[in-house]
Amino acid sequence: MTSSPSHGRKRILSGAKPTADSLHLGNYIGAVRNWVDMQSAYDAVFFIPDLHAITVDFDPAELSNRTRVVAAQYIAAGIDPDKSIFFVQSHVPEHAQLAWALNCITGFGEASRMTQFKDKTQKAGADAATLGLFAYPTLMAADILLYQTDLVPVGEDQRQHLELTRNLAQRFNTRFGETFTVPEATILKESAKIYDLQNPTAKMSKTGESPNGSIQLLEDPKIAAKRIKSAVTDTGTEIRFDLEQKPGVSNLLTIYSSLTGKSVAELEAEYQGKMYGHLKVDLAEVMVDFITPLRNRTNELMADPAELDRLLARGAERAREIASVTLSQVYERMGFLPSLRLAGVR
Ligand code: TYM
């Protein structure tokens, strides 16, 4: 196996795409919050997948700003760039290089079965879908495999991508010799999927049908509170967790529990005999208390882009030290003629 993580600790890696003006509450509860919890116990790598962001329609001026916003939001949420390796994907060219090698061991049929690709193609139409979108999962596999990652903390929607990554790692190892750690997904059951506030059977996303369905972490806290208060709830009055019968109330309970640390059972007991309105008013307050400092800290960090860029540049250097070792082993095992760079001369 190539470069295993330092100090014998397991390595985790994850990222969130800069495809909107802000991360949303689903990204936070399903992913970023767990990264923050894990970064001390693991050798952690968190990056901003900007190469993935151009697989759908994008605007160049917006992309650079959004990339900095996500960087600022990682830090505001608690990612510590001194503890974790923190960088932008396009700053480490090995991601695109390994992705190409993986494309060449991935079946066309295998890639065609990826549900996220199928969903996005259905929504945007086959003509709007690019080759880049089709190859999205192999780029993601490259992100993970370059760092000999053990665990990938993500939300439920990434499960299939992780399965493909594992298959590709095993396939490569079998054909070319042990090279990659075979990673595992870490999907926390309780927070794996936060639902749309207006359509609580669909996941909260950057592209939901109604803006009222999601909460942006950079949003005016008053608007966030309003969105909670106008969330769609279910028929009946009982405040009880039941995803089938009461998806709206269950989603609010999950959010409440994630932001306060109270268990869903505790919340059910606390709200016994109370109305949906009580739950919403209290959660709206919790939301304001959560969003306000996060938003202020993000704005502070955005006010000093040079410092953010410096942190990202330092992170990219640390990332390249690991990524370049893996890539050179991959190239060597695949039979590419060694170049001076691959021989260690930069
Ligand atoms: P992205 O940018 O769509 O989402 C970032 C993270 O947020 C999680 N997430 C959710 N969790 C719970 N409820 C929701 N409603 C919700 N919406 C999003 C996602 O599961 C994800 O963990 N392909 C990835 C980005 C990526 C990546 C990687 C991740 C690129 N390379 C390598 C891990 C490892 C994505 O689109 O995430």
Side-chain angles (χ1 to χ4, degrees), residues 25 29 31 47 70 82 89 98 101 153 172 178 180 185 193 197 279 286-287:
L25 189 67
I29 295 179
F47 73 106
V70 174
D82 287 329
Q89 188 186 32
L98 179 58
F172 191 100
E178 279 300 309
F180 295 125
K193 196 162 176 184
L197 298 171
L279 176 72
V286 166
M287 193 57 65

Side-chain angles (χ1 to χ4, degrees), residues 13-16 24-35 38 115-116 136 140 144 151-163 184-195 203-204:
L13 171 141
S14 204
H24 59 71
L25 189 67
N27 298 136
Y28 177 77
I29 295 179
V32 182
R33 190 181 60 118
N34 305 325
W35 308 348
M38 293 172 93
T115 52
Q116 288 221 337
Y136 182 113
M140 178 161 164
I144 298 167
L151 300 172
V152 186
V154 282
E156 179 61 40
D157 58 353
Q158 301 300 314
R159 190 184 288 281
Q160 199 190 23
H161 289 153
L162 257 297
E163 266 317 301
E184 272 174 43
T186 304
I187 300 174
L188 295 185
K189 197 169 153 273
E190 320 77 57
S191 58
K193 196 162 176 184
I194 300 299
Y195 294 87
K203 84 168 176 176
M204 184 180 287

